[in-house]
Amino acid sequence: MRSTLAAVGPALAGRAGARIARVLGVSVSRSTVLRLVDALPEPEVAAPRVVGVDEYATRKGRHYGTVLVDIETRRPIDLLPDREASSLAAWLAERPGVEVICRDRAPFFAEGASAGAPQAVQVADRWHLWHNLSEATERAVAQHRRCLRALVPAAPEPEPEPATEEEPPGSPWPTGHRFADRTRARHAAVHALLEAGHSRRSIQRQLGMTWRTVKQLAEAAAPEELFTGQWQNRPSVLDDYKPYLDDRWNEGFTNAWKLWEEIVPLGYKGSYQRVRAYLHKKRTSPRPVTARPPSPRTVSGWILSRPETLTEPEQLQLKTVRTHCPELDTLTRHVRSFAVMLTQRQGEHLPAWLDAVRQDDLPSLHTLAAGIDRDLNAVTAGLTLPWSSGAVEGHVNRIKMLKRQMFGRAGFALPRKRVLLAQ
C-alpha cells in the first residue's frame, strides 16, 4: 500500500491522490497522502555537467522561482524559491563540476552564472534569439508600413457626382448643413406667417420662439443675412497641423490620442477633442472600397519563413514589397543570413553580421544588435554549440500544470518535491 501511495502522491498530490487511492482499494485521507509525499527522500542526482536554467511563475507578474535541469539526462535537479542572481550563484558554487550553462538572456541569470560558475561556458538559447529577432523584424516592418500599399491595386476612379444647385452668393454653408437648413426653414416659416397677417407676438406663440429670434428672422430679408460671422469661417488652431495629421493617417496611424501627443511638442495649443473630431470626420467619410494591405505581422511572417515554404502568391507579394522598399529588402537579407547562422551553427559569423546591421538604417535591428553586444559570448556559444534550453521549457510547462492542481493550497516545499519525484 505504501508503495502505491508513494507513486500516486507525487503525481496527484492530496485530494486527487486520495480519490484515486480509494479506486485502488486503499482508504486514505488527503493529509496522509501529503505527509507520505513529504517523507519521501529526494532522488539522488549525479553531479551535472550541463545545466539549463529558467524561471517559472508561482504568481504570474509578481513572484517567480528558478528551475534547474540536467540537459544531458533532461531531468529536473532542483527548484529555487526565487530568481535572484545570488541564489543561482550560491547553487552553482556548490557544484564546481558544471561546465555549460544554458539560459535565456535575462540579466539576473547571466550575473548569477558568472558569479557562481566563472569556469562554465554560458549558452544563450537559440529559440529566444530567434524570438528577439522576430520582434525586431515586426517593428521594422511596422515602421515602413507605407511600403505595403504597393500590394494593393489602385482604387478605381470614383464616378462624378451629379451637379448640385449652386448656393446663393455670399452663403458660407452648402445645402445640407444642419444649421443653414434650420435657419432657412425658420426664416421661411416666420415670413409666411407675416404675409398671412399674423403679428410677431402671434408668431412667437405659434412657433415657440423668443421675441428676439422672431425679430431677427422678420427683419432679415434673406436667411443668408443671418450667416455672417459664424464660427465655421474662422481659422482653427489645428489648421497648421492638419498636413502632419493627414500624413500620419495615410501611414496607418489612426489613434487620436497618440497623434494629439505627437503634435503637442510641435507647438499645438488646442484640445484633444478638436483632434478627435477632425480624425472622426476622416474615419467616417466615405472611401473607395479597396483591398486592405497585409498587416506588418503578416509581412514579417513572410520574411521570417523559409522561402521554399511560402506559397507562390506570398513569394510574389514579398518580392513586390522588397522591390518598392529598399529598407525591407535589406531587413530580409539580414534576417535570412541570421537564420543560416542559427540553423547551421555558424556563430563565428556573428561579428560580421552585427557590423552589417549597424551600417543600415534599421533602428529596431540596431537595438537588437546592442543587446547582443552586451551578451556576445553567450550568443556566440548559442549559435555554435549544440546545447539549448528546450528541455527546461518543457519542465516549465509541467510546473504550470502541477501548480494549477494545488493552486493556493501549498507552499514551496510540496511543488519542489513533486517536480523532483514525478517523472
Side-chain angles (χ1 to χ4, degrees), residues 349-402:
H349 298 323
L350 181 60
W353 185 85
L354 293 174
D355 292 338
V357 164
R358 295 189 188 96
Q359 295 174 8
D360 295 312
D361 185 18
L362 294 169
S364 60
L365 288 192
H366 293 174
T367 303
L368 175 67
I372 291 177
D373 273 335
R374 292 191 292 269
D375 201 15
L376 184 60
N377 292 335
V379 174
T380 303
L383 296 175
T384 306
L385 301 178
W387 308 110
S388 74
S389 302
V392 188
E393 297 294 341
H395 284 289
V396 170
N397 283 332
R398 192 164 64 87
I399 291 173
K400 293 178 183 178
M401 182 269 293
L402 296 177

Side-chain angles (χ1 to χ4, degrees), residues 46 54 82 103 165 187 263 266 325 328 334 353 380 392 402:
D54 201 354
D82 55 50
R103 59 171 177 82
E165 182 180 354
H187 181 272
I263 63 176
L266 301 179
C325 187
L328 294 186
H334 286 319
W353 185 85
T380 303
V392 188
L402 296 177

